[in-house]
Amino acid sequence: MAHFQDLTPCSYVREWEPSSLAVGWLERGHAYPQGTVDEKFFKALLRLCGNPWQPPVAFAGIHVCSLCQFAGRLAGTSYFGAGGAAGNANVFIPGETKVFIAPTMIVHYIDAHGYVPPMEFQEAVLKCPEMRSMAYLKAIRALGFSLRVTEPLNPL
Ligand SMILES: [Zn+2]
């Protein structure tokens, strides 16, 4: 998995690099902020990561936790049930001026490794509309993600 410093342009999706900021791309050997987070934030993030909207872009590779001593390959799966989203999904959270891109593995980093994401990301998660809702897609587009939406919109 790639490593990006928090709040730096996320080149994981090259076309969107100018509109996006990386959050939670942790890798062993790189320091990261540690502490505790509000449970409300964690639950909101868990909900968004459980069924994240994914743009019509092919993401290569699978996210493996390099911070775990042994369980890295399986880490995160229990949050979403068997065959869940953890592993190779990313979550796109509209912020004030840019879109935050985080791997869904971020919930595992917070829960198991004490990672504390930037405050502006936490605030954006609490404000984020339901995944796939019209409000969500509008927010993402307004921040410069010109997207061809290939799946039906959530009527809510
Ligand atoms: Zn881990």
Side-chain angles (χ1 to χ4, degrees), residues 56-144:
V57 171
F59 290 102
I62 183 159
H63 296 160
V64 174
C65 180
S66 67
L67 305 176
C68 280
Q69 193 176 356
F70 300 115
R73 197 162 286 276
L74 299 171
T77 52
S78 61
Y79 295 103
F80 311 113
N88 59 359
N90 296 287
V91 65
F92 298 79
I93 307 289
E96 294 286 324
T97 56
K98 304 218 173 179
V99 176
F100 298 106
I101 303 183
T104 52
M105 187 69 94
I106 191 173
V107 296
H108 167 76
Y109 293 146
I110 294 168
D111 192 27
H113 300 295
Y115 167 57
V116 178
M119 215 52 222
E120 49 264 68
F121 174 76
Q122 297 192 33
E123 284 161 12
V125 164
L126 289 170
K127 280 192 258 174
C128 185
E130 281 301 318
M131 285 287 158
R132 296 183 177 76
S133 66
M134 193 61 92
Y136 174 82
L137 293 168
K138 270 189 183 160
I140 291 280
R141 278 210 207 98
L143 292 168

